[in-house]
Amino acid sequence: MPDAHVIADDARRSAAPHEPAGHSRPLQVAILGSTGSIGRSTLEVAAASAGRLRPWLLAACRSTETLVQQAKAVQPAWVVVTDEQAAADEVLHDLPADTRLAVGQEALCELVQAPEIDRVVSAIVGAAGLASTWAALEAAKTVALANKETLVMAGPLVMQLAARTGASILPVDSEHSAIMQALRAGGSHEVRRLLLTASGGPFRTLAAEQFASVTPEQALAHPTWSMGPKITIDSATMMNKALELIEARWLFDIPAEQIDVVVHPQSIVHSMVEFVDGSVMAQLSPPDMKLPIQLALDDPQRFDGPARRLDWTAAMQLSFEPPDLQRFPALALGREAAARGGTAGAVLNAANEVAVEHFLSGGIPFTAIPQLTRAMLDEHPYQADPSLDDILAVDAWARREAAAWIERQVSC
Ligand code: NDP
Ligand code: MG
């Protein structure tokens, strides 16, 4: 087993990205969060890519058994386990002979800059994904970004970093992937607004008075998408759409007032762009993350991949309705954080992460998630133009204060 933190110099950032011209060799992919929902779908896309995509690095936190199974299947050059305790798991002795193991977040941030890597899939959940995404952008990588929290926390800094190093950020989030495709129909000065579609989640039609008694099991039963637990709860509160509004604000450099949310329960239209002449461009496909993942990995090319197709021989109804801001107050929080910028996104994100964790463990009711986030946004020491250190400090502040807020609620 190699030394946990010692990574050969040749695996560090030393050269500009060298994507093979016209796919003369496979694109080598680092999958951060390979054991999660997006990570597993990414491996399916790579397996169906007829050799175009080669997983070169797989990283996870604690799921060592799954990681070893994945490594046996795809023979990556490296696997990274960020949790030091989990890295002692016996099962890691079963890694393929040619796969090396590195341990810890620091090792991940170094390895992700390796010149061998052409594309990085950022699919770690939550604020934990920021450091490795940042490291990849510093090394001018092309990043397929699922970890929206990175842009929610530090959108302007992240976009500036990418512009400075020449890195590219390609959205994996299905809404932003749809918008990226629809934007190609016109010039940026011709865009009137972005229309983010939302399924409405499991409680789209639930009466307001029933929200307080929603259980984690009910909230985890998403009607159209199969995803990891954190984003599934975010979808139930519609905080996910709030995060996506902030993500879109920075990714496409468009003011928050020009981004609207439309509820579309079938999750077939993944988002739309309205141009100044009134023309609306939409992207349609079944709710299957393999399509946006594939696009982000192989853009601007398309290939016949494993994502499900729409069946145009069967009757299909698409419906749209405005969101209910009373029952889903998280939406207004997202709009506010997108308009304020600065440290607002980082506070919203951290407070929400703490709230979701406590809701899932039965510590707070469903309705406390937006209440806690509202309280942290109101109380936090706002900075308009924060550095990355300021963002990390505010993230830590919000986690501490959110835990104290919960403590006070529980003891009341
Ligand atoms: P999952 O919970 O399914 O997976 C999370 C992954 O992150 C796991 O591989 C997990 O490893 C890893 N991870 C967690 N913490 C750490 C850490 N500290 N260091 C390294 N790895 C870590 O999440 P999803 O796949 O659903 O979501 C991932 C991201 O993609 C989120 O930001 C989400 O918002 C975004 N996204 C997801 C969509 C979806 O359809 N699922 C759609 C659009 C965006 P381990 O298994 O070891 O814990
Ligand atoms: Mg989405």
Side-chain angles (χ1 to χ4, degrees):
M1 193 184 296
D3 185 316
H5 293 286
V6 179
I7 293 159
D9 271 349
D10 64 358
R12 292 206 185 126
R13 170 165 63 132
S14 59
H18 56 290
E19 294 203 352
H23 288 287
S24 53
R25 65 160 176 76
L27 285 173
Q28 303 206 114
V29 183
I31 308 174
L32 318 185
S34 67
T35 53
S37 166
I38 293 290
R40 284 181 272 117
S41 293
T42 305
L43 284 165
E44 277 185 62
V45 168
S49 72
R52 292 164 84 96
L53 304 166
R54 177 187 175 230
W56 189 86
L57 177 151
L58 305 179
C61 185
R62 278 181 287 269
S63 304
T64 47
E65 212 161 303
T66 307
L67 197 56
V68 169
Q69 278 167 14
Q70 292 178 338
K72 283 182 177 168
V74 301
Q75 309 274 323
W78 286 90
V79 299
V80 185
V81 176
T82 58
D83 184 280
E84 311 238 344
Q85 257 181 322
D89 288 352
E90 293 260 314
V91 69
L92 288 165
H93 294 301
D94 293 340
L95 280 171
D98 292 336
T99 298
R100 301 174 73 188
L101 170 70
V103 178
Q105 157 111 332
E106 218 176 290
L108 177 60
C109 290
E110 280 185 46
L111 266 175
V112 86
Q113 299 188 329
E116 288 87 344
I117 296 171
D118 300 305
R119 300 218 169 180
V120 174
V121 179
S122 164
I124 289 174
V125 63
L130 173 62
S132 45
T133 307
W134 186 272
L137 295 172
E138 268 186 325
K141 299 297 181 194
T142 297
V143 175
L145 186 72
N147 179 269
K148 63 191 88 184
E149 294 90 345
T150 288
L151 284 176
V152 172
M153 292 173 73
L157 292 173
V158 166
M159 298 311 289
Q160 281 160 24
L161 174 67
R164 196 162 66 238
T165 63
S168 304
I169 302 177
L170 296 168
V172 166
D173 221 347
S174 55
E175 295 76 2
H176 305 71
S177 177
I179 290 169
M180 175 184 78
Q181 295 172 72
L183 281 173
R184 291 175 180 160
S188 55
H189 62 287
E190 294 165 339
V191 173
R192 174 171 290 152
R193 59 180 173 151
L194 308 183
L195 293 153
L196 285 174
T197 52
S199 70
F203 309 131
R204 183 174 61 88
T205 57
L206 191 73
E209 58 277 12
Q210 293 183 316
F211 272 64
S213 53
V214 155
T215 65
E217 292 68 31
Q218 290 169 324
L220 284 169
H222 197 280
T224 50
W225 290 100
S226 162
M227 311 178 283
K230 193 261 179 181
I231 185 174
T232 304
I233 301 301
D234 287 347
S235 297
T237 55
M238 290 194 79
M239 187 65 83
N240 184 45
K241 221 42 61 179
L243 302 178
E244 290 182 354
L245 202 150
I246 305 169
E247 179 185 12
R249 193 261 170 271
W250 303 121
L251 187 63
F252 301 114
D253 189 21
I254 187 162
E257 318 81 80
Q258 281 173 262
I259 310 172
D260 284 324
V261 173
V262 181
V263 174
H264 166 53
Q266 296 83 12
S267 301
I268 299 288
V269 173
H270 294 296
S271 277
M272 301 174 268
V273 175
E274 183 179 316
F275 290 94
V276 285
D277 58 359
S279 187
V280 176
M281 302 300 293
Q283 185 262 330
L284 285 71
S285 53
D288 183 341
M289 289 307 294
K290 291 191 283 296
L291 180 58
I293 290 169
Q294 172 179 329
L295 280 167
L297 282 172
D298 210 30
D299 183 79
Q301 302 172 90
R302 293 177 185 268
F303 66 88
D304 183 0
R308 284 182 286 137
R309 312 292 152 114
L310 287 174
D311 176 5
W312 295 101
T313 64
M316 175 170 50
Q317 303 247 314
L318 302 179
S319 59
F320 301 91
E321 63 198 41
D324 182 342
L325 299 179
Q326 302 300 320
R327 289 182 306 131
F328 296 99
L331 282 173
L333 302 180
R335 184 166 293 290
E336 178 182 320
R340 286 182 84 190
T343 45
V347 167
L348 175 136
N349 180 66
N352 179 56
E353 280 190 28
V354 173
V356 169
E357 203 184 305
H358 281 79
F359 167 68
L360 281 173
S361 62
I364 57 171
F366 187 72
T367 39
I369 300 174
Q371 285 164 1
L372 167 58
T373 311
R374 167 81 275 159
M376 294 303 108
L377 264 178
D378 289 345
E379 287 171 26
H380 100 274
Y382 175 76
Q383 283 174 263
D385 192 18
S387 65
L388 190 60
D389 283 345
D390 297 331
I391 298 268
L392 297 176
V394 115
D395 174 88
W397 175 91
R399 282 168 204 276
R400 265 195 323 273
E401 291 301 315
W405 187 95
I406 291 170
E407 193 73 19
R408 287 198 297 277
Q409 301 290 309
V410 171
S411 60
C412 275

